[in-house]
Amino acid sequence: MSLPAAAQDSLLNKAGAVPEKYLSQVKQKSRKLESQVDKRTEKALELMIRQEKRLQQKMMKIDSVAARNIFTRSIDSLGSLKASLKGKTDKYQKVLNGQYFGYLDTLSSSLGFLKDSDKLLGQAKGVQDKLKGSMDQVKALQGKLQQAENIKQYIRERREQLKSQLSQYTSMTKDLQKINKEAYYYAQQLKGYKEVFSDRKKAEAKAMELLQKVPAYKDFLARNSQLASLFNLSAGSGSAANLEQQLEGLQTRSQVEQLIQQRIGGGGPNARQALSQQMDAARSQFDELKKNFPDLDNAAEMPDFKPKELKTKSFMQRLEFGTNVQFQRSNQYFPTTGDFAGQVGYKFSKNGILGLGASYKLGMGTGFNNIRFSHQGMGLRSFGDYKLKGTFFVNGGFEFNYNSAFSSTTQLMNATVWTRSALLGISKKYKINNKLKGNMVLLYDFLANTQTPKTDPVKFRLGYSF
């Protein structure tokens, strides 16, 4: 059902109201991803060249002729690929077809639609310049990503070639494994960059929301997007009837099933059952592989070693920020103080995290008839968390706490007025949404009896992390 012309014009005008910030974000994100891909690709090629030279030196001691035949041309090719990173990618882009990147296709199509709707949107000259700059940056990014995919494919094929050529030389096994590791981590790093790039910012989400409501934009996608070109829809309408016409001549599922039945019909009554069992076994094995390696793009990237899941993460991506609260009471009902803490942790492995934090102690009065907020102190913390099983973790740390109610402000820097806590316990973590996690921590303070004033050794904290 199409919208009235007035409604479409209104939506288009709204879409035209957001492009300036949207265009800036698209350009910045595209430039950042291009830079990341360039640096990581250059590093991958440098490591490959270094590894091949090392292998060549070892091979020269065994068979100098074979060493020159196997490595000389490859090292030159890797050097040429590294040099090509500095130049334009349009010519190189035609070598191979890369993987489909849906979000980049969406960005490119949205920019193309805004360009075609330029007169209707009445955009100012400054916005037009930004639009052109964003389109140029996205095209440059598409070229770099295609170049990276080509290099990834080259490294993968070279890895398999070296395995075949050097499998008989056991002294080179470790060097071959290093090449395998680099090929795997390079592919995973590229995928990680794309995932971060695909995380929509506020202006992007708003622009996409408005554009999706415009029928003209949907028709533009059906005719001009990369996905549409895969089905050859760009030459005509994006309708279902046209799609059916484009796919005419391809075998249907029922035709394939009928063909299989004809092939196995001569195998007796047990042939179909045997085939079904084999298919179930293959599906089960494939599902298990997917579970163990969910980030793989295809079977060619299957590692022959145990990957370090955080190796491709940057320092900032390994950081986990969080907050928690803990209450203490002087009677059986009313909490007299609350410790509100913020912390940051560094994931040193898939199951473990170490970090630092700070807390503020807030006085809350002495009862329901005497609620009074006051400054009561502060604290510094260190903590560690390591997975036990499922969602349960062992948690511990060391803390210094300053209580202003029992010390004067002039003594703040005096180490003797800071009480110490050595904590150990169990934490339970649970998922709230894709970005936010909750946790409950039960701890025991082994130094509680040495503190002045004495505090409850058992501490219960509620918190969040992201």
Side-chain angles (χ1 to χ4, degrees):
M1 179 179 178
S2 60
L3 294 174
Q8 290 198 41
D9 289 347
S10 176
L11 286 170
L12 285 170
N13 288 330
K14 287 182 180 179
V18 294
E20 196 158 353
K21 189 171 182 180
Y22 170 63
L23 296 175
S24 297
Q25 285 188 350
V26 170
K27 187 174 182 179
Q28 290 171 4
K29 285 180 64 175
S30 300
R31 184 185 291 119
K32 181 179 179 181
L33 178 58
E34 181 183 358
S35 175
Q36 289 175 325
V37 170
D38 250 355
K39 290 179 181 178
R40 186 61 183 87
T41 301
E42 184 175 9
K43 179 182 177 182
L45 290 173
E46 285 177 352
L47 288 173
M48 280 293 295
I49 292 172
R50 198 181 307 151
Q51 288 296 330
E52 291 220 12
K53 285 183 177 179
R54 185 178 291 114
L55 284 169
Q56 187 182 36
Q57 290 175 356
K58 288 185 177 182
M59 192 68 182
M60 287 291 289
K61 299 176 182 178
I62 303 172
D63 188 336
S64 59
V65 176
R68 284 190 289 269
N69 292 336
I70 293 173
F71 294 104
T72 302
R73 184 178 297 178
S74 174
I75 293 173
D76 291 342
S77 297
L78 288 168
S80 298
L81 287 176
K82 183 181 174 182
S84 72
L85 295 176
K86 307 297 183 182
K88 294 183 178 180
T89 58
D90 295 331
K91 181 178 179 181
Y92 187 80
Q93 191 173 343
K94 299 178 182 178
V95 179
L96 288 172
N97 292 321
Q99 293 180 336
Y100 175 69
F101 186 6
Y103 190 64
L104 186 59
D105 184 26
T106 300
L107 291 183
S108 179
S109 299
S110 68
L111 295 176
F113 175 73
L114 289 173
K115 181 177 182 296
D116 281 8
S117 306
D118 181 54
K119 293 181 180 179
L120 181 60
L121 295 174
Q123 296 170 336
K125 181 67 167 62
V127 179
Q128 294 176 12
D129 292 340
K130 284 190 174 182
L131 177 60
K132 183 179 183 304
S134 297
M135 293 186 70
D136 291 342
Q137 184 61 56
V138 168
K139 288 180 180 177
L141 174 60
Q142 288 173 325
K144 287 295 182 182
L145 287 175
Q146 179 60 69
Q147 186 182 49
E149 287 295 329
N150 292 337
I151 291 174
K152 183 176 77 172
Q153 178 69 17
Y154 177 89
I155 292 175
R156 183 186 298 153
E157 291 175 354
R158 180 59 180 163
R159 175 194 65 187
E160 296 303 317
Q161 188 180 42
L162 287 173
K163 279 185 180 180
S164 174
Q165 292 174 329
L166 304 177
S167 58
Q168 57 183 316
Y169 303 103
T170 56
S171 61
M172 301 182 183
T173 302
K174 288 185 178 180
D175 294 284
L176 290 174
Q177 191 177 57
K178 288 181 180 179
I179 291 176
N180 189 28
K181 286 182 178 181
E182 176 55 29
Y184 173 81
Y185 287 129
Y186 174 57
Q188 293 305 299
Q189 189 81 71
L190 292 180
K191 186 170 184 177
Y193 290 153
K194 290 181 181 180
E195 289 174 353
V196 174
F197 179 82
S198 300
D199 187 12
R200 295 183 180 181
K201 296 184 181 297
K202 188 174 181 180
E204 295 174 68
K206 183 64 176 177
M208 292 300 173
E209 180 184 354
L210 290 171
L211 289 173
Q212 288 292 340
K213 296 177 181 179
V214 181
Y217 175 64
K218 295 180 181 178
D219 183 62
F220 182 88
L221 286 180
R223 291 182 288 105
N224 297 279
S225 69
Q226 183 182 351
L227 186 61
S229 68
L230 296 176
F231 293 99
N232 196 26
L233 296 179
S234 56
S237 169
S239 65
N242 185 69
L243 178 59
E244 183 177 351
Q245 183 179 4
Q246 296 291 339
L247 300 180
E248 186 177 358
L250 296 180
Q251 290 177 306
T252 64
R253 179 176 178 177
S254 59
Q255 288 174 328
V256 173
E257 289 178 347
Q258 184 179 2
L259 179 61
I260 292 175
Q261 290 177 2
Q262 290 174 355
R263 293 290 179 89
I264 68 175
N270 295 326
R272 184 180 301 178
Q273 182 180 358
L275 179 62
S276 177
Q277 291 175 348
Q278 291 176 4
M279 290 296 292
D280 289 342
R283 188 181 297 110
S284 176
Q285 186 175 6
F286 182 70
D287 290 340
E288 186 66 24
L289 290 173
K290 284 175 63 179
K291 184 170 64 175
N292 292 334
F293 302 98
D295 296 330
L296 294 184
D297 292 329
N298 54 62
E301 294 179 9
M302 184 68 66
D304 58 0
F305 62 96
K306 187 176 181 180
K308 297 179 180 178
E309 296 188 16
L310 296 179
K311 185 176 177 63
T312 59
K313 301 296 183 181
S314 66
F315 177 80
M316 290 301 298
Q317 289 175 322
R318 288 190 179 211
L319 295 182
E320 181 177 281
F321 297 89
T323 182
N324 60 66
V325 61
Q326 158 194 311
F327 295 102
Q328 294 184 18
R329 54 190 172 82
S330 60
N331 57 52
Q332 57 181 336
Y333 298 113
F334 191 83
T336 57
T337 60
D339 291 83
F340 300 87
Q343 62 188 38
V344 58
Y346 178 78
K347 295 180 181 177
F348 62 89
S349 75
K350 174 187 175 183
N351 298 321
I353 184 169
L354 293 172
L356 299 172
S359 64
Y360 175 76
K361 187 181 292 292
L362 177 69
M364 304 172 68
T366 58
F368 289 105
N369 59 347
N370 185 29
I371 298 176
R372 181 169 50 89
F373 296 107
S374 61
H375 168 66
Q376 294 295 314
M378 57 182 292
L380 300 174
R381 301 178 175 181
S382 63
F383 70 93
D385 220 22
Y386 198 83
K387 186 175 182 179
L388 287 176
K389 187 175 182 181
T391 57
F392 289 92
F393 291 70
V394 60
N395 186 288
F398 197 80
E399 301 180 0
F400 284 95
N401 294 288
Y402 172 79
N403 193 327
S404 63
F406 299 92
S407 305
S408 65
T409 54
T410 57
Q411 294 177 309
L412 181 61
M413 301 307 294
N414 187 345
T416 60
V417 303
W418 287 77
T419 60
R420 295 176 297 173
S421 294
L423 303 169
L424 185 65
I426 298 292
S427 67
K428 160 75 175 177
K429 297 185 179 182
Y430 53 93
K431 184 178 180 180
I432 298 176
N433 55 42
N434 289 335
K435 294 186 177 181
L436 191 63
K437 294 179 291 185
N439 61 77
M440 298 179 290
V441 189
L442 184 64
L443 298 165
Y444 184 83
D445 184 359
F446 291 91
L447 299 180
N449 291 330
T450 65
Q451 297 174 3
T452 303
K454 291 185 178 180
T455 59
D456 189 346
V458 178
K459 303 184 185 298
F460 179 71
R461 297 171 178 172
L462 292 173
Y464 302 93
S465 60
F466 54 93

